[in-house]
């Protein structure tokens, strides 16, 4: 029944070593989002895709990139992780029909940077 | 600037002790307001969507209400399994979800 799947659940990387996080969905939703959530803070939107259209938030660092090769999959690439990038990374999807559709979240990937 | 504020930050309840969580919002044209539950180390789990003032939604021991300035999540006779962080999020005119920082609820048996 898993609808939004994130892999891996836990990722450990070294300072400056590129890392890729994966998200897949079985909902056939048009919109996919990536959020960063640090401890005891609200999720912060990094970017989202509406179909193949990429929308970057103004304050998302250039260090963060994303790819969406097809409807089901979306990737978050962190080119040179710093200690400040350690966080939970959440993927979410929505149908995109009205713009105010419910966003469904995956279980998250906890990133540790050594 | 769109802003969503949740209070209190933390709430400790005895099992069976009903209470309410507050979510006040200042956004440019509310399109919808969401409530999520988040357990430690997991992603937010969808609870409710409210679209207009006066709307109410219920699910088991939870009831969400919406006014023009705030939303409440009422927890009736909570059980220990209701312990979690409850997040509210508003969608304004630009359709970008704006989250509050959450209320962490602990229910003691």
């Amino acid at each position: 029944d898993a609808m939004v799947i994130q892999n891996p659940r836990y990722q450990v990387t070294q300072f400056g070593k590129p890392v890729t996080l994966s998200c897949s969905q079985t909902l056939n939703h048009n919109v996919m989002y990536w959020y960063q959530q640090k401890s005891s803070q609200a999720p912060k939107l990094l970017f989202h895709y509406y179909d193949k259209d990429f929308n970057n938030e103004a304050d998302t660092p250039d260090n963060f990139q994303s790819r969406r090769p097809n409807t089901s999959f979306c990737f978050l690439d962190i080119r040179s992780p710093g200690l400040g990038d350690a966080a939970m990374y959440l993927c979410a999807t929505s149908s995109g029909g009205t713009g105010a559709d419910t966003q469904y979240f995956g279980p998250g990937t906890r990133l540790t940077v050594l | 600037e769109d802003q969503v504020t949740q209070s209190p930050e933390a709430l400790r309840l005895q099992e069976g002790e009903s209470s309410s969580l507050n979510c006040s919002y200042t956004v440019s044209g509310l399109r919808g307001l969401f409530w999520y539950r988040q357990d430690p180390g997991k992603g937010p789990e969808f609870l409710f969507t409210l679209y207009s003032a006066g709307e109410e939604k219920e699910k088991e021991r939870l009831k969400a209400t919406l006014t023009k300035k705030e939303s409440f999540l009422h927890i009736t006779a909570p059980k220990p399994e209701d312990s979690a962080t409850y997040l509210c999020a508003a969608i304004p005119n630009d359709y970008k979800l704006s989250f509050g920082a959450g209320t962490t609820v602990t229910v003691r048996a």
Side-chain angles (χ1 to χ4, degrees), chain B residues 6-15 17-22 35-40 62 73-75 78-87 102-108:
Chain B
Q6 291 188 246
S7 62
E9 289 185 13
L11 188 61
R12 293 177 65 87
L13 300 172
Q14 197 68 35
E15 184 172 5
E17 178 188 359
S18 301
S19 189
S20 294
L21 285 55
N22 177 266
W35 281 98
Y36 289 89
R37 168 192 171 126
Q38 187 172 27
D39 292 302
L62 301 176
L73 183 67
H74 308 278
I75 309 178
K79 298 182 177 181
E81 52 262 43
D82 295 321
S83 297
T85 296
Y86 291 87
L87 296 167
T103 294
T104 299
V105 175
T106 304
V107 182
R108 297 164 291 174

Side-chain angles (χ1 to χ4, degrees), chain B residues 33-71:
Chain B
L33 188 134
F34 301 141
W35 281 98
Y36 289 89
R37 168 192 171 126
Q38 187 172 27
D39 292 302
K42 296 186 178 180
E45 175 190 345
F46 171 71
L47 294 173
F48 305 110
T49 307
L50 302 166
Y51 288 107
S52 57
E55 192 173 358
E56 299 182 352
K57 295 262 179 87
E58 281 189 73
K59 179 181 179 181
E60 295 180 353
R61 295 176 293 282
L62 301 176
K63 179 180 177 180
T65 61
L66 182 65
T67 72
K68 289 187 177 180
K69 293 184 178 180
E70 56 194 349
S71 178

Side-chain angles (χ1 to χ4, degrees), chain A residues 47-111:
Chain A
F47 24 60
H48 74 276
Y49 276 94
Y50 194 112
D51 288 332
K52 293 184 178 180
D53 292 334
F54 177 72
N55 297 273
N56 197 30
E57 293 302 298
D59 57 354
T60 298
D62 292 339
N63 196 28
F64 291 85
Q65 304 287 321
S66 185
R67 297 169 284 134
R68 189 179 185 186
N70 54 53
T71 301
S72 300
F73 284 87
C74 195
F75 299 97
L76 170 62
D77 301 307
I78 308 177
R79 293 191 295 186
S80 183
L83 298 178
D85 297 327
M88 174 77 87
Y89 289 88
L90 298 166
C91 174
T93 75
S94 70
S95 64
T98 68
D101 311 287
T102 300
Q103 291 187 21
Y104 296 94
F105 285 82
T109 294
R110 169 73 63 187
L111 178 68

Side-chain angles (χ1 to χ4, degrees), chain A residues 11-58:
Chain A
Q11 176 73 58
V12 180
T13 191
Q14 291 181 336
F15 183 93
K17 185 174 181 181
V19 66
T20 295
L21 310 183
S22 167
C23 177
S24 63
Q25 54 129 341
T26 60
L27 297 163
N28 203 33
H29 279 171
N30 291 320
V31 192
M32 295 186 77
Y33 308 81
W34 280 105
Y35 289 86
Q36 178 192 65
Q37 186 179 29
K38 296 188 176 180
S39 182
S40 302
Q41 295 184 19
K44 177 180 180 295
L45 181 64
L46 296 173
F47 24 60
H48 74 276
Y49 276 94
Y50 194 112
D51 288 332
K52 293 184 178 180
D53 292 334
F54 177 72
N55 297 273
N56 197 30
E57 293 302 298

